[in-house]
Amino acid sequence: SNSAENSDPCRSPISIITGIEKVFRFSIRNRRYQQIRLALESRYIFWKGHRSDFFNESLEHPLSNSFVPAIGIEYSNVTGKLAFHVRSGFRLDPQPLIAANCDFKIISGGIGIRFGRYTVDLGTAYWSGDCNGVKRNNLVLCGTLNLSIGRQ
């Protein structure tokens, strides 16, 4: 039996995350504006020596620490109750496996429209990578529809 009473079998390694964001606003008149948002992020993950518990057995994985850089940009056009957003990003995600040489590149994008209380957002991410000569390609699509209740 798996007794996870005093431990978390899925605990994550320690990460240091840093980022910076810069917003450029222009064409500001009344409740109308356009903006470009640029974001940079870096993540250092301490995988080396990471342990996990599996059926009362503590396992140490042969992993190396990893550095994950990312960049994103978003354009917004807001006019009163109507807002339109389009975004794109890139992330380099080297996998921490010592025994395998695996790196993934992720390109993402999306659009969002808000009209009053209604919001529709569609996004996609394309993962491409190579792990010891085996190529992997995945496409992920997601979307949300939101209705805000109450006063705005």
Side-chain angles (χ1 to χ4, degrees):
S1 72
N2 184 2
S3 75
E5 297 165 0
N6 296 324
S7 66
D8 178 5
C10 298
R11 65 180 169 265
S12 297
I14 295 172
S15 298
I16 296 175
I17 303 167
T18 60
I20 187 167
E21 180 180 275
K22 179 67 178 166
V23 177
F24 303 95
R25 267 195 185 182
F26 46 97
S27 299
I28 299 174
R29 289 186 208 123
N30 298 331
R31 293 178 59 193
R32 180 181 182 177
Y33 64 90
Q34 296 177 359
Q35 74 179 22
I36 294 176
R37 180 184 311 252
L38 179 64
L40 300 171
E41 177 187 278
S42 65
R43 181 179 301 232
Y44 190 82
I45 307 170
F46 294 91
W47 285 107
K48 191 173 183 176
H50 179 66
R51 302 183 75 77
S52 62
D53 298 327
F54 185 73
F55 291 98
N56 295 326
E57 182 180 357
S58 182
L59 304 173
E60 184 171 336
H61 308 283
L63 303 173
S64 63
N65 297 336
S66 61
F67 175 72
V68 181
I71 186 170
I73 190 166
E74 178 183 67
Y75 167 77
S76 300
N77 189 335
V78 179
T79 305
K81 290 185 175 185
L82 179 64
F84 174 76
H85 310 277
V86 62
R87 64 188 177 277
S88 181
F90 176 77
R91 175 181 303 263
L92 178 61
D93 192 0
Q95 300 300 295
L97 304 168
I98 291 176
N101 184 15
C102 302
D103 288 324
F104 291 102
K105 295 164 190 70
I106 302 144
I107 298 171
S108 62
I111 59 170
I113 299 172
R114 187 194 78 227
F115 183 74
R117 297 179 178 194
Y118 299 95
T119 304
V120 176
D121 189 81
L122 301 172
T124 185
Y126 178 72
W127 296 58
S128 177
D130 185 333
C131 191
N132 284 347
V134 177
K135 301 244 183 240
R136 300 235 11 215
N137 297 301
N138 298 314
L139 181 64
V140 178
L141 300 172
C142 60
T144 59
L145 174 62
N146 186 32
L147 169 62
S148 299
I149 300 174
R151 292 185 179 184
Q152 286 190 327

